[in-house]
Amino acid sequence: MDMLLAENSPIRQQLLEQKLVQFKDPHLAHTLSTFIRSSVDLYPSAIEDYAQLGNSRLGGLPDLPVGMDYPVTLVGREEMLDAYAEEFDHTREYIEEHYCWSQDSDSDEAAQAFRVPMQFIAQINCSELKAFQSYLPREGRLLFFLERWRFSEMLRGHVYYVAEGQQLNSGKAIAELKFDDAVCANYEYEAAYQLQGIASIKMIATDMVNSDNPHLLKLAKARLQALPEPQQAMVLEALEVAEDELAPEWQDQLYFFDLMKMNKHGLIPGQILTQAQWSALPDWQSSNLQALLVPEQPLPYYNGIASINGHGDSRYKAPELHAAAELGGNAEDYLVLLKVVYSEHSMQLNFIIHQADLALGKFDRIYCIYDY
């Protein structure tokens, strides 16, 4: 039994049935079920005040175990100069003469390099989410960091597992980190939010199931083996337009900035929107949002600011193909451990891990990529 699939999750049966009933062809619905994930959506429930150690958190600073230093990247002087020259469109000589970039940096003289702090993205308290899924560790915490110290496509993700019972130091106690101006500044997640999870399902963009993604095509064909070949071909062809059959979901009716605002106002799907909450909302509602936010009624589902075990979104090669090319193995054996909205410019970042590594509790092989 694949624990990652929604069809094997009793608490998601109603959600799954609601999704699959939209497809008139039962063979198409059965095929798509192999791509519907047993996911967890994460929503900001409050501004983080650091009063609780080790809670699920987005942005700000992490609660590190005692004895663990804040993760850094060692960047050589020449490499740092090149980054500044690229970012500010000047020669290296001009940068050296006119910028004081080295004076405010944390340097390692022995290594002849600068210590560049990684960007903290999130910490996930696994015990808070264990009721929603069976594939993460049952306890302990996962800390997510991003190595992104220059403006380029190169990303390196790091995930650290902190075992339950380890003594923690509050993120509030971490000394101010030295970021070098715009080249490695931690602008995206300076604000910190407490996170709350709910059980959800995530379906792949069906037009990704094509020859560009042979691992997805292989999964689809495996579901169709019992059908005659002409009928298999018809179902595979229908995948290209399957999303046209879906009833519009809430997140599809909203602009991205509406979703961002919803995610930052402590509104959780399924909870009753009280009259007091409604009255306290700022005047930012679009006409679509005003129609959907009904006082004293449960909030419908909408995408969380982050999710676990979802799908990377690409109309070309799927992100797990890139992960397999970089880390080895088969694309179908990778999953999106964490997907998170990275900025208000709608960039979404995927931390991808091999299923075998996740099962073993090994988090030292992580591939990071934006949706594209």
Side-chain angles (χ1 to χ4, degrees), residues 292-340:
L292 291 163
L293 293 175
V294 181
E296 306 305 329
Q297 294 296 318
L299 287 163
Y301 171 78
Y302 67 99
N303 282 332
I305 200 167
S307 64
I308 294 166
N309 188 33
H311 288 284
D313 187 13
S314 168
R315 294 304 186 265
Y316 303 100
K317 289 187 176 180
E320 57 266 27
L321 271 177
H322 294 274
E326 178 75 18
L327 302 178
N330 301 315
E332 58 265 35
D333 295 328
Y334 283 87
L335 65 94
V336 180
L337 178 62
L338 180 71
K339 183 189 193 73
V340 60

Side-chain angles (χ1 to χ4, degrees), residues 45-97:
S45 56
I47 299 294
E48 182 60 83
D49 59 8
Y50 296 94
Q52 181 182 353
L53 281 175
N55 58 303
S56 294
R57 177 183 306 159
L58 178 73
L61 291 166
D63 298 329
L64 296 177
V66 172
M68 178 179 175
D69 294 328
Y70 191 96
V72 299
T73 305
L74 286 179
V75 181
R77 174 183 172 82
E78 300 302 309
E79 195 176 358
M80 186 73 89
L81 268 173
D82 286 340
Y84 271 81
E86 175 188 325
E87 171 61 21
F88 298 108
D89 196 24
H90 289 305
T91 64
R92 296 168 84 252
E93 291 74 21
Y94 185 92
I95 295 293
E96 281 201 284
E97 182 178 352

Side-chain angles (χ1 to χ4, degrees), residues 30-252:
H30 180 60
T31 304
L32 286 172
S33 65
T34 197
F35 301 109
I36 300 181
R37 294 272 174 163
S38 177
S39 58
V40 179
D41 269 87
L42 298 163
Y43 301 83
S45 56
I47 299 294
E48 182 60 83
D49 59 8
Y50 296 94
Q52 181 182 353
L53 281 175
N55 58 303
S56 294
R57 177 183 306 159
L58 178 73
L61 291 166
D63 298 329
L64 296 177
V66 172
M68 178 179 175
D69 294 328
Y70 191 96
V72 299
T73 305
L74 286 179
V75 181
R77 174 183 172 82
E78 300 302 309
E79 195 176 358
M80 186 73 89
L81 268 173
D82 286 340
Y84 271 81
E86 175 188 325
E87 171 61 21
F88 298 108
D89 196 24
H90 289 305
T91 64
R92 296 168 84 252
E93 291 74 21
Y94 185 92
I95 295 293
E96 281 201 284
E97 182 178 352
H98 293 89
Y99 283 77
C100 300
W101 56 275
S102 61
Q103 296 180 10
D104 297 324
S105 303
D106 183 6
S107 61
D108 185 325
E109 297 299 332
Q112 295 185 335
F114 296 102
R115 298 186 189 94
V116 178
M118 293 185 195
Q119 185 176 359
F120 171 64
I121 302 296
Q123 69 183 27
I124 302 300
N125 186 317
C126 296
S127 62
E128 292 177 354
L129 304 182
K130 64 183 180 182
F132 304 136
Q133 47 69 41
S134 54
Y135 42 81
L136 292 182
R138 299 290 82 198
E139 57 184 15
R141 291 155 184 85
L142 295 174
L143 306 181
F144 293 82
F145 291 86
L146 184 65
E147 216 178 307
R148 180 187 177 266
W149 62 271
R150 64 184 296 178
F151 289 89
S152 70
E153 294 304 313
M154 182 190 70
L155 298 171
R156 293 194 186 97
H158 298 266
V159 179
Y160 301 93
Y161 177 68
V162 180
E164 192 71 24
Q166 284 192 257
Q167 186 179 354
L168 302 176
N169 286 322
S170 172
K172 195 174 182 180
I174 293 176
E176 184 177 356
L177 302 173
K178 292 185 178 180
F179 291 97
D180 279 74
D181 298 330
V183 176
C184 57
N186 190 13
Y187 295 137
E188 304 294 348
Y189 282 127
E190 290 180 323
Y193 298 91
Q194 299 171 13
L195 289 176
Q196 181 175 328
I198 68 167
S200 61
I201 63 175
K202 288 284 188 290
M203 188 175 79
I204 200 168
T206 58
D207 57 3
M208 287 179 62
V209 185
N210 56 46
S211 57
D212 287 333
N213 296 302
H215 64 297
L216 301 179
L217 201 55
K218 176 183 174 182
L219 288 172
K221 288 181 176 178
R223 284 289 171 111
L224 296 170
Q225 285 181 348
L227 299 179
E229 285 192 10
Q231 195 169 358
Q232 289 186 35
M234 290 175 62
V235 173
L236 291 174
E237 186 177 344
L239 279 172
E240 297 179 13
V241 294
E243 286 184 326
D244 295 340
E245 297 186 30
L246 288 172
E249 293 192 48
W250 193 14
Q251 62 266 34
D252 296 328

